[in-house]
């Protein structure tokens, strides 16, 4: 190790071993690398319809105020969320993406002596935020690619300060029943905080909305996280939120930056909540696209994991990287999931009809020459 490398030894031990999150490949990067145009990206569960008109108008109207600091309390957006979910403003924490809420809860509650339980194949940010603060990750084996709540509960001890559950889960798209989930939350010791990550709840339909929020009255150790990045089409602005007891929200709000949400994001998110038409279109396009893509898999004799989100994992029954790379050469970016211990799967975000058809055509060509 040379002198400049010694600086690594100065970092806290969790960070020394940290392998950063790998995002989906940006379109511009593939353009640069292969000189392709007309690239489609179905890699990051983004909304293929883009942001809604109301969000765009709110951004336009806010631009003139950009010299000012944003409202550090996000009062207008919090009020709109409080109305929508019938919670008190004091129960809301706004984040720079819901990813920030996951970080805040880790920072506020974990020490190197404590443990965090989550599932195999669960969202990659859980191990990252755990390791960054030096806490110990305890991974429960998955059941049929989804969370095995019994296996998770068995691993909860008096050292467990957090459990993370993604419902639906990314990347598998698996969905837990609300009955099973509540049994699990109820069984947790009150020294353990349950983070219920509902980044995709809008795609689930009737059984999702509101249901888990009613639990907040009963479980002061429950934190529900949601986002404007997926169904609302605002991933580039970075805005998400946590819903919890006022006490838990107070703790999270103590450790966040004073101005963690930018002014455009606050305005756009508030407007997006009123844009039911855009949300309905998004859900319809997703449902149709999910059907088209899974029928395409069927025609190619490929298996997939039934998904409650806006993405689907296909099982290629062989190493997925060569197929991922062949798709890249055809200008189609999807997501390898080797870091999730799923080396034979690819995750496909549902796109517009045109994008879905282009993807299926590219996949068919790639598979036919194997
Ligand atoms: C995308 C995603 C998030 C976070 O998204 P943000 O853009 O930070 O709001 C959180 N959890 C899961 C499971 C996700 O897939």
């Amino acid at each position: 190790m040379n002198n400049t490398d010694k600086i690594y030894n100065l970092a806290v031990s969790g960070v020394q071993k940290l392998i950063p999150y790998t995002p989906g490949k940006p379109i511009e990067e593939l353009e640069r690398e292969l000189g392709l145009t007309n690239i489609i990206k179905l890699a990051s569960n983004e909304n293929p319809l883009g942001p809604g008109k109301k969000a765009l108008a709110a951004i336009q109207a806010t631009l003139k105020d950009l010299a000012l600091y944003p409202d550090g309390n996000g009062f207008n957006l919090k009020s709109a969320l409080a109305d929508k979910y019938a919670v008190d403003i004091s129960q809301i924490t706004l984040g720079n993406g819901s990813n920030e809420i996951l970080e805040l809860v880790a920072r506020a509650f974990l020490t190197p002596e404590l443990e965090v339980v989550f599932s195999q194949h669960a969202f990659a940010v859980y191990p990252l935020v755990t390791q960054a603060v030096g806490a110990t990750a305890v991974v429960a084996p998955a059941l049929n690619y989804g969370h095995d709540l019994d296996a998770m509960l068995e691993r909860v001890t008096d050292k467990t300060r957090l459990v993370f559950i993604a419902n639906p889960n990314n990347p598998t798209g698996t969905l837990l029943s609300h009955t099973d989930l509540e049994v699990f939350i109820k069984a947790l010791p009150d020294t353990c905080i349950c983070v219920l990550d509902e980044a995709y709840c809008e795609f689930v339909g009737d059984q999702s909305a509101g249901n888990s929020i009613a639990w907040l009255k009963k479980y002061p150790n429950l934190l529900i996280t949601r986002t404007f990045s997926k169904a609302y089409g605002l991933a580039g602005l970075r805005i998400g939120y946590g819903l919890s007891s006022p006490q838990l929200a107070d703790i999270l709000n103590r450790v966040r930056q004073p101005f963690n949400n930018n002014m455009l994001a606050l305005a756009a998110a508030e407007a997006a909540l009123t844009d039911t038409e855009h949300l309905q279109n998004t859900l319809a396009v997703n449902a149709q696209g999910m059907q088209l893509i899974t029928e395409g898999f069927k025609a190619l004799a490929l298996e997939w994991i039934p998904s409650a989100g806006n993405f689907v994992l296909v099982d290629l029954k062989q190493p997925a990287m060569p197929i991922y790379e062949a798709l890249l050469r055809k200008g189609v970016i999807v997501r390898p999931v080797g870091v999730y211990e799923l080396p034979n799967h690819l995750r496909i975000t549902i796109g517009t009809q045109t994008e879905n058809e282009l993807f299926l055509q590219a996949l068919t060509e790639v598979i036919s020459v194997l």
Side-chain angles (χ1 to χ4, degrees):
M1 185 176 283
N2 66 34
N3 262 342
T4 39
D5 281 349
K6 277 191 185 147
I7 202 124
Y8 285 108
N9 296 333
L10 305 179
V12 296
S13 70
V15 176
Q16 285 186 31
K17 285 170 249 140
L18 204 72
I19 302 166
Y21 182 81
T22 319
K25 198 176 192 60
I27 289 178
E28 296 74 29
E29 191 176 301
L30 188 63
E31 269 172 5
R32 274 198 307 276
E33 286 173 4
L34 298 183
L36 292 174
T37 50
N38 298 327
I39 291 167
I40 61 169
K41 182 184 176 206
L42 301 174
S44 300
N45 302 345
E46 293 146 334
N47 188 327
L49 302 181
K53 282 198 208 79
K54 291 193 177 185
L56 289 174
I59 290 167
Q60 196 66 47
T62 307
L63 288 173
K64 65 178 183 339
D65 298 326
L66 283 180
L68 307 175
Y69 277 97
D71 174 7
N73 287 316
F75 180 79
N76 291 338
L77 176 56
K78 280 189 189 171
S79 301
L81 288 167
D83 278 354
K84 181 174 165 70
Y85 295 124
V87 297
D88 192 78
I89 280 190
S90 64
Q91 295 180 263
I92 303 172
T93 310
L94 299 179
N96 197 256
S98 59
N99 200 129
E100 188 187 20
I101 309 289
L102 305 176
E103 245 175 52
L104 294 178
V105 73
R107 183 137 54 94
F109 287 95
L110 296 177
T111 67
E113 290 73 43
L114 295 170
E115 297 181 355
V116 179
V117 172
F118 51 83
S119 174
Q120 182 189 20
H121 311 317
F123 188 43
V125 167
Y126 311 152
L128 285 179
V129 298
T130 302
Q131 200 183 327
V133 295
T136 301
V138 177
V139 183
L143 178 66
N144 300 325
Y145 296 106
H147 293 70
D148 181 342
L149 292 176
D150 293 332
M152 289 181 72
L153 202 54
E154 275 168 26
R155 285 162 176 77
V156 171
T157 69
D158 53 9
K159 286 203 276 184
T160 312
R161 185 57 44 87
L162 288 182
V163 299
F164 284 109
I165 293 180
N167 200 47
N169 183 44
N170 173 18
T172 57
T174 48
L175 185 72
L176 292 161
S177 89
H178 269 241
T179 316
D180 293 349
L181 249 181
E182 191 177 3
V183 169
F184 174 84
I185 295 167
K186 202 174 194 163
L188 285 177
D190 58 9
T191 49
C192 178
I193 289 156
C194 180
V195 181
L196 181 57
D197 178 343
E198 296 189 330
Y200 301 95
C201 66
E202 293 85 2
F203 293 100
V204 179
D206 44 341
Q207 78 143 321
S208 77
N211 215 339
S212 56
I213 288 168
W215 297 336
L216 293 174
K217 289 203 177 74
K218 292 192 254 180
Y219 308 108
N221 56 337
L222 175 62
L223 171 64
I224 298 169
T225 62
R226 295 188 175 189
T227 182
F228 289 93
S229 297
K230 309 285 162 58
Y232 290 99
L234 297 175
L237 281 179
R238 315 303 306 126
I239 180 114
Y241 54 97
L243 303 170
S244 64
S245 60
Q247 295 77 8
L248 215 170
D250 175 37
I251 290 168
L252 299 181
N253 276 294
R254 288 181 197 187
V255 291
R256 69 173 172 84
Q257 284 183 40
F259 303 105
N260 61 331
N261 302 115
N262 74 77
M263 189 186 281
L264 301 181
L266 291 169
E270 188 190 344
L273 285 177
T274 67
D275 199 342
T276 43
E277 192 187 339
H278 186 252
L279 184 61
Q280 290 314 317
N281 286 342
T282 299
L283 302 185
V285 164
N286 188 62
Q288 287 156 14
M290 184 68 81
Q291 180 147 7
L292 185 85
I293 285 188
T294 52
E295 276 167 9
F297 291 156
K298 204 186 227 167
L300 292 168
L302 294 172
E303 285 173 26
W304 67 93
I305 301 171
S307 170
N310 63 343
F311 55 88
V312 60
L313 263 193
V314 61
D315 185 355
L316 300 161
K317 312 258 182 194
Q318 61 184 302
M321 283 314 277
I323 296 176
Y324 164 71
E325 278 153 15
L327 287 169
L328 283 184
R329 290 192 290 274
K330 292 184 179 293
V332 177
I333 310 174
V334 297
R335 191 63 160 268
V337 282
V339 289
Y340 291 96
E341 300 178 10
L342 295 163
N344 293 349
H345 289 75
L346 286 176
R347 193 191 67 193
I348 322 299
T349 300
I350 307 302
T352 60
Q353 185 170 341
T354 312
E355 289 170 332
N356 298 334
E357 284 166 354
L358 285 169
F359 158 71
L360 284 174
Q361 192 190 326
L363 182 67
T364 307
E365 288 165 12
V366 165
I367 285 187
S368 69
V369 297
L370 286 173

